[in-house]
Amino acid sequence: FGIPSDETFVITTTNRKEVTEDNFSDLVHDGVTLYLLQSVDQMLLLATKERIDFLPHYDTLVKSGMYEYYASEGQNPLPFALAELIDNSLSATSQNTGIRSIQIKLLFDDSQGKPAVAVIDNGSGMTSKQLNNWAVYRLSKFTRQGDFESDHSGYVRPLPVPRSLNSDISYFGVGGKQAVFFVGQSARMISKPAASQDVHELVLSKEDF
């Protein structure tokens, strides 16, 4: 720093706690801002800037379904949540040349784990990257990487019709995650892309968060 050898200085945190040999390991870590000063109480000559890196709290995802469906104006929200859960199956089977198979199973057998809702289809499947994209909150069909266009140009929204095999349920990439954490506490997605022998599994769990 170009400090003359005969000049004294101190290193402090932004709350003016001096960094010493004794507390160095406790105070210094990646991303912390430090001041190099002539004394602990020296006045700063200029305004300083500090970069803050953060991730939203996991409650943003885990509690979003509760907020969404409890605001359903007195309607029974469960059918809407179940409709969101089969959205991936609707998309995955839309290009099938043969039979479209979508099964919804309610599992109450504790011997297989906790009760669960299972949605099973014979669609095109998802790669690990596509599973990762699905897991990202607020990543819409317009901005997903992979099999979706990056903007509106390659996507034509279906005509508004009642919720059915030809409707467009989760238009902005949020509904599936909201539905999962409204109905339960975790999601497990197991998928095998049609053109691959690999099976990919994704788990989103409140307990893991």
Side-chain angles (χ1 to χ4, degrees), residues 61-179:
L61 175 61
V62 172
K63 293 184 177 180
S64 65
M66 304 301 285
Y67 299 147
E68 174 75 13
Y69 290 104
Y70 279 150
S72 58
E73 299 180 356
Q75 302 180 52
N76 179 8
L78 185 58
F80 295 97
L82 293 177
E84 293 287 3
L85 290 178
I86 66 171
D87 178 51
N88 289 284
S89 294
L90 296 178
S91 298
T93 60
S94 62
Q95 303 300 320
N96 281 19
T97 55
I99 295 175
R100 298 175 71 182
S101 172
I102 301 176
Q103 302 177 54
I104 304 175
K105 296 184 178 181
L106 304 181
L107 308 177
F108 300 104
D109 186 353
D110 290 340
S111 66
Q112 300 297 319
K114 296 180 179 180
V117 176
V119 181
I120 306 168
D121 66 67
N122 65 340
S124 57
M126 285 189 282
T127 66
S128 60
K129 178 62 177 176
Q130 290 167 334
L131 278 175
N132 184 92
N133 286 346
W134 181 88
V136 177
Y137 188 71
R138 285 289 182 188
L139 183 59
S140 75
K141 292 178 180 180
F142 298 142
T143 55
R144 289 182 192 174
Q145 299 175 9
D147 60 341
F148 289 105
E149 297 289 337
S150 60
D151 56 28
H152 296 62
S153 61
Y155 183 77
V156 179
R157 188 177 189 183
L159 293 174
V161 296
R163 290 173 186 257
S164 66
L165 290 178
N166 297 316
S167 68
D168 192 15
I169 295 176
S170 187
Y171 185 56
F172 289 109
V174 180
K177 276 82 75 178
Q178 288 180 326

